Amino acid sequence: MAKPLVAILMGSDSDYDYMVEACKSLEKLGVSYDVLVSSAHRTPEKTQKYVRSAKKRGIKVFIAGAGGAAHLAGVIAAETILPVIGVPIPSTSLNGLDSILAIGQMPGGIPVATMATGKAGAKNAGLLAAQILGVSDAALSSKLLKYKKDMAKEVDKKDARLREAHAKNYPNK
Amino acid sequence: MAKPLVAILMGSDSDYDYMVEACKSLEKLGVSYDVLVSSAHRTPEKTQKYVRSAKKRGIKVFIAGAGGAAHLAGVIAAETILPVIGVPIPSTSLNGLDSILAIGQMPGGIPVATMATGKAGAKNAGLLAAQILGVSDAALSSKLLKYKKDMAKEVDKKDARLREAHAKNYPNK
Amino acid sequence: MAKPLVAILMGSDSDYDYMVEACKSLEKLGVSYDVLVSSAHRTPEKTQKYVRSAKKRGIKVFIAGAGGAAHLAGVIAAETILPVIGVPIPSTSLNGLDSILAIGQMPGGIPVATMATGKAGAKNAGLLAAQILGVSDAALSSKLLKYKKDMAKEVDKKDARLREAHAKNYPNK
Amino acid sequence: MAKPLVAILMGSDSDYDYMVEACKSLEKLGVSYDVLVSSAHRTPEKTQKYVRSAKKRGIKVFIAGAGGAAHLAGVIAAETILPVIGVPIPSTSLNGLDSILAIGQMPGGIPVATMATGKAGAKNAGLLAAQILGVSDAALSSKLLKYKKDMAKEVDKKDARLREAHAKNYPNK
Amino acid sequence: MAKPLVAILMGSDSDYDYMVEACKSLEKLGVSYDVLVSSAHRTPEKTQKYVRSAKKRGIKVFIAGAGGAAHLAGVIAAETILPVIGVPIPSTSLNGLDSILAIGQMPGGIPVATMATGKAGAKNAGLLAAQILGVSDAALSSKLLKYKKDMAKEVDKKDARLREAHAKNYPNK
Amino acid sequence: MAKPLVAILMGSDSDYDYMVEACKSLEKLGVSYDVLVSSAHRTPEKTQKYVRSAKKRGIKVFIAGAGGAAHLAGVIAAETILPVIGVPIPSTSLNGLDSILAIGQMPGGIPVATMATGKAGAKNAGLLAAQILGVSDAALSSKLLKYKKDMAKEVDKKDARLREAHAKNYPNK
Amino acid sequence: MAKPLVAILMGSDSDYDYMVEACKSLEKLGVSYDVLVSSAHRTPEKTQKYVRSAKKRGIKVFIAGAGGAAHLAGVIAAETILPVIGVPIPSTSLNGLDSILAIGQMPGGIPVATMATGKAGAKNAGLLAAQILGVSDAALSSKLLKYKKDMAKEVDKKDARLREAHAKNYPNK
Amino acid sequence: MAKPLVAILMGSDSDYDYMVEACKSLEKLGVSYDVLVSSAHRTPEKTQKYVRSAKKRGIKVFIAGAGGAAHLAGVIAAETILPVIGVPIPSTSLNGLDSILAIGQMPGGIPVATMATGKAGAKNAGLLAAQILGVSDAALSSKLLKYKKDMAKEVDKKDARLREAHAKNYPNK
């Protein structure tokens, strides 16, 4: 098993339904990763230890998913100079607006790469982590290019199917 | 000089114009306090050390002011079981809506007592800290009662002045 | 039966599903409490009487849950110098943004400790009440420390379970 | 001097710059009114006494201006069955969105007639109070009709002036 | 059948589930009313004719419910000097925030008494209409007082039931 | 089959449930159209080619539906001087507030005609496209007039049905 | 002087500073227009008369600028099948969020082409009106193409100036 | 002069006051960069050409600043598999909430690393670009570590200065 390059942390196991999309992106691109539940608030020491030891274990990029007053990504970014990607989980009554702002409005000096809310954001977190690694990994870069082309083809297929179905229901157009 | 009972932390020295209102509340009520700049993101170790050693130094309540993706109160609350009061500083382009949500929408298990944005919130943070201490301090409790009565009298005075001024401009009423 | 130290008020019985979480926190920590439905708007006299007589009955902290133009916590805070904790109930079409602002944006002089919306907020209201009492109650303070450690352990268990389940579905990682 | 029919309360003397617009509307229509500073939070007893005795003193309509967690209108509405008009003062960092929701999102059973934020809202509060009195006062009703017609004429005048000025700057149109 | 005193308009028949609450309030208080579907946008002439002829038909107060870019209340207010009450229907994807602002932020000169979103707001629209009529109708005023007292009693009953049920589940408190 | 005059693009086939309403509007008015899935982000070249060649193929108006950081309408508008209508799809956790702002807040120089969120917006996009074509097509203009009158009649029918049903449930009114 | 093709209405003369940008766009493209102040609320009859007679006077497109509970565009759209463009004026304390929603969230059947807030939106309103007329006016269409190209050149010039100025301040880059 | 590794694009020269902060971050860390004005909407071809040729010119990371319906970052991300960082410029009447959502809520498949609004966000964009390059550049990684330490020291200095100044004004504490 390859040493993980990307660390995916989530503040609660209830975030998994979203964060598994980040895992899937990385699986698809063949990027090894580590996934764990560790909270900025409930397990600060565990989070801190994990982050401080990550670089020497080979981690290159962090992904952190959390909801509400989502501090996980910021707490990780405070402890590392590796890129940190934040995924706003829309788990509270405010549907993730709180999560977007709590992750995204970081002060100068401590960047967090904020994604969209929910599954799309988690999926993109995996892709961005791969893009970051792809900056110095030509093979991964090629995989990303192929992924992008496949995505376009997928849209084309859906387009064809939709046009056909539409024409059936609206034949006289 | 009395040992401080309340610790007032702010994430940036630019928060001072707001946070000094918390100091003033405590000065007025004769509650000793400590004030410092320590960031959740830029000086996480300093913040952590300060919080972990606070209880044995006699600190009973924390007040934390920060703006934007304001993590300071949450990071303190992660490290202590003392009450933590958060003041959302309206220093970003979103006027503090981000700060309110980033401080207020804490997950279950880690409470932060969130105040209003800005100077009113900072003033109230000092008062709430005093109210918390007043639960077991009858003398302070009396001062708080007096403070409340004085506040009502102040409103009465302003009412009288305003009615008089209004009557001058609108004499025929 | 112990004399209640914490008073939990809610503006409507429909808030109970949320507010019971505050009760549960206090039950867990062995803090006695009183729970009642009393509205700032529909039963202002009852609310006022309850609050005015609370201190001599031994109440030390108030918790108030309400939704929409949520005035209950503020109305209580107007009548007492005991700490008041407000829980924004997300019961209206705006999902609690109205409740957050109606409880949180209190004017200078009248603090209300605002929690997160919904069940997490109610749970935290109970915990914050206990933390406030814990300032002068070493036994309760110890229970809170244990509660915090148990919470961390619980995260660790969930982490282990989640990693294991994930590894089954994504075996080749 | 006529006995006041409308009571205009404001939570703080700093609200006067807005609330004077309500006075002006009533002055213009010859409706007698009372104006005072009384806070829901800082002077709850004064507010309550004023409201409870208002009906027998001849008050028919209340106007209440407040900002932030604006409870004044709701607190008045809790004590009376006279119509209560609320004016959201945009005095906090959130520009009055908090005030709108804290006044407007009242629970079933306790209506508050919420106006727009700021001066336009205060002006309209005075007009609505007059409209309410006009339901059973034909003379006032006639004044309101004239007011409405004058307002239309005023728009016509502004229209003429603006068209002329525009044509000067853009002569070739 | 009594001549209607209150006119309840809604922009779409899909608003009826909400607006029936206004009818119920008036039924309960014995106030006669007229209810109709008439849109500001789809049937502007019908709306205009209805409003212009309403005063001579005995209408004293208007209630208008609409959602989204809700113009109905404002369009009515443009045509009358009778009080107009607006109910923001939360029927769009924005859950009524659009409706609140489109009804509430009226320009100076044209007041609309804005209620809360949804059923509570519609219920209160009926009550406010009755309060307005009650200003010059002592019998209705008495009914409103009784309504208010009954409402308080209802809260007391719910309080008793809830305390009892809670005590069963949490017996050792 | 008539050459399409209106091009309806959507960023994802999941937008179809909304966008079919634009098709229905055009079908009803006998306006020929083309419908396709093409993403600003996933198939930028396809989108660009389609837009660049549209004018010579006879397209007169574009309709673009997308959700979240909805760039499709803006990307089309960047490539054409034909009118572009944008439909904010409420598909993300923020219910379309993101889509409204991402489509609507276009910079000076590049207009996009933004519709309401969701099905009403898509329906209106079709109507606006027809109105634009109707500016120089008297027959279509007549159809639009008839459509508008039918819509008013439909409201009248619903009004009659609703009044009748209401009267059954509330007979004594 | 050419007969106006575009009618630019604004609800208040205070909107002129924004709406003059629509005039400027049309002046630049040689499109004749009419500009007037007419309010949906204060001069409903004038507005209605102007709109109803507009088509026969040769008006092809409406532009309406208003702020707050901005009903002008919707009220025009209710009376015409000509395209209506709405400009949300950011004149209230909410900075135009109210205006965006009050103009944009129109119900199905009555489209309004909503622009961005403020000057950019007004400028674009003029351009969109020209684009709509350009659908059947080849000369205007050519002017729009030239306008678009000039705009690109303008960006290029600004780019050159900015790079040069930047290089002076940061010479070693 | 070193070949640029980071490309900083902004949609308008008026964004420069913000975006120069990204330049400063990179200057401080010795990372070469290119800065230019190129709009997604006004110069789509220029933007596209620049992005498509960037990789072979040695660009590794993109930074894009734009405001309102900010499409620049998304349009770049559509054309490349290099990491794209977006900076929401708070230049519109909505203070950047529009920019945050228009940049941040990207669909699955096309990640954009969204920063905070304004100068802090632009500064962090430069830092994140450096962190991304630092993943495979040990020397840059060391500079980032030093930068982080210096930032902490800077906070310490400000803390000392603030404490001292505070103590002067509040000597008896």
Side-chain angles (χ1 to χ4, degrees), chain A residues 7-16 19 34-51 62-67 70-73 75-76, chain B residues 107, chain C residues 151-152 154-160 162-163:
Chain A
I8 302 176
L9 291 89
M10 63 198 82
S12 160
D13 60 342
S14 64
D15 300 334
Y16 180 72
M19 295 310 293
D34 194 19
V35 61
L36 72 156
V37 180
S38 189
S39 164
H41 299 121
R42 281 171 286 195
T43 58
E45 274 184 274
K46 179 185 174 178
T47 302
Q48 198 182 52
K49 269 184 205 163
Y50 184 88
V51 176
F62 286 96
I63 294 173
H71 297 184
L72 186 56
V75 158
I76 294 171
Chain C
M151 196 163 53
E154 192 57 37
V155 173
D156 284 342
K157 272 186 215 160
K158 284 178 178 173
D159 180 27
L162 185 141
R163 282 172 181 253

Side-chain angles (χ1 to χ4, degrees), chain B residues 47-124:
Chain B
T47 303
Q48 197 182 51
K49 270 185 204 164
Y50 184 89
V51 177
R52 288 188 177 169
S53 64
K55 209 175 172 181
K56 72 179 143 239
R57 280 179 294 111
I59 296 295
K60 304 287 190 207
V61 185
F62 287 96
I63 294 173
H71 298 184
L72 185 56
V75 157
I76 294 171
E79 297 283 353
T80 184
I81 57 153
L82 293 173
V84 179
I85 303 168
V87 182
I89 302 295
S91 56
T92 64
S93 68
L94 297 179
N95 293 324
L97 182 61
D98 43 8
S99 318
I100 289 174
L101 299 178
I103 293 176
Q105 288 291 86
M106 289 293 290
I110 312 287
V112 167
T114 307
M115 300 287 103
T117 44
K119 292 190 176 183
K123 181 183 181 178
N124 281 349

Side-chain angles (χ1 to χ4, degrees), chain A residues 90 94-97 100 117 148 151-152 155-156 158-159 162-163 166 170 172-173, chain F residues 1 10 13 16 20 23-24 27 33-37 39 42-43 46 93-95:
Chain A
L94 296 180
N95 293 324
L97 182 62
I100 290 175
T117 45
K148 208 174 180 72
M151 196 162 56
V155 173
D156 284 341
K158 285 177 176 171
D159 180 28
L162 185 142
R163 282 172 181 250
H166 182 73
Y170 297 90
N172 298 319
K173 191 191 54 139
Chain F
M1 199 194 289
M10 62 198 82
D13 61 342
Y16 181 73
V20 73
C23 304
K24 284 186 200 166
E27 296 265 350
Y33 63 94
D34 195 19
V35 61
L36 71 156
V37 180
S39 164
R42 281 171 286 195
T43 58
K46 180 184 173 178
S93 67
L94 296 179
N95 293 323

